[in-house]
Amino acid sequence: MDETVIRETAKAPAPAPAPEPPVLVNAVKPEERLSEPVEDAIESAVQTLEKSFEAAMPAALAVNQKLVDIAQANMNAGLDLARDLAAAKSPMEAMRLGMNYWHDNAGLFQSQAEELWTLSAQFLTTANEPLRAHIRRS
């Protein structure tokens, strides 16, 4: 006998509704004012952040200027290599030019990275000083 088995497919359960966000019972209402010590602490923190941003601006500009200088120097070196490669008379001369380029510029790339690292460290120190002073006062 040929028996056919019919299976019932179970329906996927409906997704549970998303939970309601909690109600903040002790939230500050717009018409209420914070206590004076809290307002003073917030004002002091905001002033400290402003000082930190102001102190960081010259250092950030120096880092950005160094990045532009590095990019310009590397682009000029790459264009010089391209010009020399275009004038190469043989594949061996092109290989020699490429090897000379990497030999000459490997140290330059390392010194550029070190300069950028030093400037970045100065940037962080300059930007963090107002924050550190604020924490020492607290």
Side-chain angles (χ1 to χ4, degrees):
M1 281 199 203
D2 197 12
E3 291 185 23
T4 306
V5 177
I6 300 175
R7 294 186 184 158
E8 287 187 31
T9 57
K11 292 184 181 179
E20 299 266 336
V23 176
L24 299 175
V25 176
N26 293 328
V28 178
K29 295 179 180 72
E31 64 273 1
E32 294 178 355
R33 290 189 46 87
L34 296 172
S35 66
E36 185 133 346
V38 173
E39 281 185 0
D40 292 343
I42 291 172
E43 182 63 30
S44 174
V46 168
Q47 288 175 355
T48 299
L49 287 174
E50 287 175 354
K51 288 177 187 175
S52 178
F53 289 138
E54 288 172 7
M57 283 304 267
L61 289 173
V63 169
N64 286 338
Q65 183 62 46
K66 179 53 74 175
L67 283 170
V68 169
D69 292 345
I70 288 172
Q72 183 70 45
N74 292 342
M75 186 177 62
N76 287 340
L79 290 173
D80 289 344
L81 173 65
R83 184 194 64 228
D84 292 343
L85 288 173
K89 294 185 176 34
S90 69
M92 289 304 289
E93 184 180 358
M95 290 264 291
R96 183 184 55 77
L97 289 169
M99 289 178 63
N100 286 342
Y101 170 81
W102 286 109
H103 182 265
D104 294 342
N105 288 308
L108 178 65
F109 295 150
Q110 182 177 0
S111 67
Q112 288 171 343
E114 289 171 359
E115 286 180 69
L116 194 57
W117 183 84
T118 302
L119 278 175
S120 297
Q122 291 171 352
F123 167 73
L124 290 176
T125 302
T126 303
N128 285 337
E129 189 52 41
L131 298 172
R132 289 181 183 174
H134 179 80
I135 290 171
R136 282 190 290 258
R137 284 192 312 258
S138 298

